[in-house]
Amino acid sequence: MLAYFKLYFKPDSFEKGYSLAIQSGREGARLTHNHERQYHYVLQSLTLWREISTDMFKLWYLAEQDLLQEGNSYRLTDTGQGLNRVQSAPRVSRAMQNILSRCQHQIGSWVG
């Protein structure tokens, strides 16, 4: 998907009818981004998901370690979607921070 995106879209130009620009309130968009900004947002999103999926088994293993860590019990919390069990996941958090940092370094700029 990332290769196709880079092949068919460029940040500084687009063919008529193929702009990635979005405008708040139009077709469900909540933000306004010009083509270039939206290009970088899509690029970072696809890159982030590629890195997460590459490390999925590692993240799964770390989640199991966090869940089973002695003394790391859950709290029953109203999350806005009812009462849910919420537990800290320091290993997963550290791994996700590393993934995010790696993506930001690869891309160079970050939209959000």
Side-chain angles (χ1 to χ4, degrees):
M1 179 73 91
L2 195 52
Y4 281 115
F5 178 71
K6 289 179 177 180
L7 178 65
Y8 291 109
F9 292 95
K10 302 296 177 220
D12 53 356
S13 64
F14 56 90
E15 292 180 30
K16 185 176 180 177
Y18 292 97
S19 171
L20 297 174
I22 59 173
Q23 184 175 350
S24 180
R26 192 169 185 194
E27 297 183 25
R30 295 186 176 259
L31 301 170
T32 299
H33 287 172
N34 64 20
H35 173 83
E36 183 178 5
R37 187 170 181 85
Q38 188 65 9
Y39 173 91
H40 289 293
Y41 178 78
V42 172
L43 178 64
Q44 80 183 27
S45 297
L46 291 173
T47 302
L48 180 60
W49 279 111
R50 181 194 62 201
E51 295 301 314
I52 288 171
S53 62
T54 298
D55 285 359
M56 187 56 70
F57 288 111
K58 176 184 174 184
L59 292 167
W60 183 12
Y61 173 76
L62 294 173
E64 290 288 324
Q65 285 189 319
D66 285 337
L67 284 169
L68 300 174
Q69 180 183 346
E70 192 172 324
N72 187 18
S73 58
Y74 67 84
R75 303 174 305 285
L76 197 57
T77 305
D78 185 354
T79 62
Q81 296 180 337
L83 291 175
N84 290 279
R85 295 176 180 157
V86 178
Q87 184 175 357
S88 69
R91 292 174 182 91
V92 173
S93 177
R94 226 175 356 266
M96 285 302 298
Q97 288 172 4
N98 288 337
I99 290 170
L100 185 58
S101 176
R102 191 166 66 225
C103 289
Q104 289 172 331
H105 182 71
Q106 286 176 13
I107 295 171
S109 64
W110 204 254
V111 176

